[in-house]
Amino acid sequence: VQLQASGGGAVQAGDSLRLSCAASGRTFSTSDMAWFRQAPGKEREFVIGLTSGGGYRHLGDSVKGRFTISRDDAVNTVYLQMNSLKPEDTAVYYCAVRTAYQSGTVFSVRGYGIWGQGTLVTVSS
């Protein structure tokens, strides 16, 4: 079971990027998924989530209205569309799948058992 994140890069403030997270080894259509990010010197933080039923999870207002998450079950891929990027969005972005018996909440790192390798997003002003 693997997650492969891609799509990161260096952009200017105000630009858009779409990250992809391709899953292999099993289908995740019945799993909750999420994107996290980790900025230099900071802890990994929840960005946005997608429930197995198609609902969205947000935590705070930092990306609300700018980032959206979606999935294409036909290709077993989850996407993170990021618009109006800001320098503070600079981070390594990780996709994750919530697996059974996770001890953490859906907003925490410990809430997810399978992680992609991360893709770097750099936003310059």
Side-chain angles (χ1 to χ4, degrees):
V1 176
Q2 285 188 323
L3 298 177
Q4 182 72 36
S6 61
V11 297
Q12 298 284 324
D15 285 352
S16 298
L17 272 179
R18 189 178 78 158
L19 306 184
S20 300
C21 176
S24 61
R26 56 161 280 191
T27 179
F28 294 107
S29 60
T30 58
S31 302
D32 291 1
M33 300 191 72
W35 286 93
F36 284 72
R37 66 186 180 187
Q38 187 165 17
K42 295 188 176 182
E43 293 186 351
R44 195 171 298 188
E45 64 175 5
F46 177 91
V47 176
I48 193 169
L50 184 65
T51 71
S52 58
Y56 300 102
R57 291 194 176 104
H58 295 275
L59 184 64
D61 295 327
S62 61
V63 304
K64 206 169 186 178
R66 300 189 298 121
F67 290 13
T68 56
I69 185 172
S70 62
R71 72 197 306 162
D72 185 341
D73 291 336
V75 293
N76 220 17
T77 300
V78 172
Y79 303 99
L80 177 63
Q81 178 67 43
M82 304 185 293
N83 299 327
S84 302
L85 283 160
K86 303 176 181 180
E88 51 264 43
D89 295 319
T90 294
V92 177
Y93 284 73
Y94 299 88
C95 56
V97 176
R98 184 170 174 82
T99 54
Y101 312 116
Q102 295 300 135
S103 60
T105 72
V106 295
F107 300 108
S108 71
V109 170
R110 292 178 63 187
Y112 296 83
I114 301 174
W115 291 83
Q117 86 288 4
T119 184
L120 177 62
V121 173
T122 304
V123 185
S124 57
S125 57

